[in-house]
Amino acid sequence: MKKLLIILLKIIVAIFIAIGVFLAIVFTVNIICNKLEKGKIESYGQFVSVDGKNMNVTIQGEGEETVVLLPGYGTAAPALDFKPLVDELSPFYKVVVIEPFGYGLSDVTEKERTIENIVAEIHECLQKLNIDRYTLMGHSIAGIYGLEYVNKYEKEVNAFVGIDSSFPTQGGNDDEFPSEIYKLINKSGFYRMIMKLNSDQLLAPVVDEDTREQIRMLSLKNAFNPNIISEGENFKYNFKAAENYSFPKNLPVIFFLVKDTTDVEGWKVKHEEQIKHSIHGKVMEFEGEHYLHHTKSKEIVENFRSFMEETEKEK
């Protein structure tokens, strides 16, 4: 019996040592890879000084009208993520992709990621670029920030386009954001390991391998950084703040939604309610996933252009 207990004890100790070595390897590999990849990330776009920090922006196309693209929560590299949509829009418009602080190549800011700060920073960025008339086209949580934006700067915005965009009362933001868990997953190196073991974890459009690799490296660089964490911690506040707003009735608004989504109850109905007082409002559904612009960019642009032509005729 004594020998058996000694053997069991040795096995348990060996298991703990193996786990410790495994964790140390994962942690060390992540640190080394982060340093190596930092030099491999390629610059794109241009920096705009906003509140004393660098905000990265890409501009493509030379159309007379401007479309400003805003990303969904946690999109690692918005300018690269929006590439299919930019390519479809740029023959007709000047297309501006803004990478908020903590996203893409933009700096990380010390300011809380409240709806007020985010909207003010986006506006300052456009002001610095001398862009004062534009359509806002936003994915996911940009539907929340967009509500405050179009009310604060109504005279500057030609239209709002939501790509499977959020609405204030959709729920799911009452639970405490698991900041510490996400920080641990990131710092420990487990996020990198998960990405390595399951390539489906990488949210990216159909692009060439070099661009996909850039998105992968930026996903690891920006994952759960202080701004992404702060934005998550402010979900409840930001969604609640947006309840005070509705779209101005004279502002053209069109939503492109995923058809028959089961993620949020009443997805289409709630978006229809958002535009019930709009003179020019429309909801369209497409088969696809939440990142609708990855697969339906052509359809989005075709229908957006038709919608804007219709609103012009009705004026």
Side-chain angles (χ1 to χ4, degrees):
M1 180 64 72
K2 187 176 180 181
K3 288 183 179 180
L4 179 61
L5 289 174
I6 292 172
I7 292 171
L8 288 174
L9 183 61
K10 287 181 178 180
I11 291 173
I12 292 170
V13 170
I15 290 172
F16 275 102
I17 291 173
I19 292 172
V21 171
F22 172 71
L23 293 175
I25 290 171
V26 172
F27 178 76
T28 304
V29 168
N30 185 55
I31 291 175
I32 294 171
C33 288
N34 284 341
K35 290 181 179 179
L36 291 174
E37 289 174 355
K38 189 175 181 179
K40 295 180 181 179
I41 293 174
E42 299 172 359
S43 297
Y44 54 82
Q46 65 187 77
F47 286 133
V48 178
S49 179
V50 175
D51 195 32
K53 298 282 186 178
N54 286 324
M55 184 171 284
N56 196 55
V57 175
T58 62
I59 301 176
Q60 185 174 321
E62 299 179 355
E64 291 184 6
E65 297 180 26
T66 300
V67 174
V68 176
L69 297 178
L70 303 177
Y73 174 67
T75 301
L80 304 181
D81 181 81
F82 276 130
K83 189 178 186 306
L85 187 56
V86 172
D87 289 345
E88 293 291 339
L89 284 166
S90 57
F92 312 103
Y93 306 94
K94 179 165 78 171
V95 187
V96 180
V97 181
I98 293 180
E99 298 190 326
F101 291 134
Y103 288 68
L105 299 179
S106 293
D107 288 344
V108 170
T109 180
E110 293 76 28
K111 284 192 172 181
E112 284 289 310
R113 298 297 78 204
T114 62
I115 190 171
E116 295 87 358
N117 288 339
I118 291 170
V119 166
E121 290 158 2
I122 292 169
H123 185 255
E124 182 180 344
C125 181
L126 292 174
Q127 291 287 295
K128 291 287 182 67
L129 290 167
N130 295 314
I131 297 173
D132 54 14
R133 291 293 296 178
Y134 42 88
T135 290
L136 280 184
M137 185 177 290
H139 173 238
S140 196
I141 201 170
I144 298 302
Y145 307 140
L147 269 170
E148 170 144 330
Y149 197 104
V150 299
N151 279 275
K152 283 194 171 181
Y153 309 110
E154 182 179 353
K155 292 181 180 179
E156 298 180 19
V157 183
N158 295 323
F160 180 82
V161 182
I163 302 173
D164 216 39
S165 52
S166 303
F167 59 88
T169 58
Q170 70 182 54
N173 300 303
D174 292 333
D175 295 336
E176 185 176 349
F177 189 78
S179 302
E180 297 307 317
I181 294 175
Y182 285 142
K183 289 177 184 177
L184 179 61
I185 291 172
N186 189 39
K187 290 181 178 179
S188 66
F190 270 86
Y191 182 65
R192 178 180 293 277
M193 187 181 72
I194 292 168
M195 289 274 284
K196 183 69 174 178
L197 295 175
N198 184 5
S199 59
D200 290 340
Q201 288 290 322
L202 182 64
L203 293 172
V206 178
V207 289
D208 61 83
E209 284 303 313
D210 288 342
T211 303
R212 184 176 176 83
E213 177 62 7
Q214 290 295 311
I215 294 173
R216 185 193 69 82
M217 290 189 292
L218 284 164
S219 295
L220 291 165
K221 168 185 172 289
N222 292 327
F224 312 123
N225 68 36
N227 286 170
I228 301 300
I229 293 293
S230 176
E231 190 174 356
E233 291 172 341
N234 278 284
F235 277 166
K236 184 175 181 179
Y237 171 81
N238 289 340
F239 275 76
K240 190 67 179 178
E243 289 183 20
N244 297 321
Y245 295 110
S246 59
F247 287 105
K249 68 175 184 179
N250 292 316
L251 179 73
V253 179
I254 183 168
F255 295 119
F256 297 108
L257 308 178
V258 172
K259 187 177 182 180
D260 300 327
T261 183
T262 57
D263 293 338
V264 179
E265 186 177 350
W267 190 243
K268 181 183 179 183
V269 173
K270 293 296 184 180
H271 283 86
E272 289 174 334
E273 288 179 3
Q274 280 194 290
I275 57 170
K276 64 182 179 181
H277 298 302
S278 299
I279 294 175
H280 306 291
K282 191 172 185 178
V283 173
M284 296 191 71
E285 293 182 297
F286 295 114
E287 298 285 352
E289 303 295 330
H290 182 52
Y291 279 72
L292 205 54
H293 51 282
H294 286 180
T295 56
K296 297 295 181 181
S297 286
K298 184 176 182 180
E299 293 86 344
I300 287 172
V301 174
E302 287 177 349
N303 285 282
F304 164 60
R305 294 186 68 214
S306 296
F307 174 72
M308 294 306 293
E309 287 172 4
E310 290 171 8
T311 60
E312 286 297 320
K313 290 177 182 177
E314 293 173 8
K315 285 183 179 179

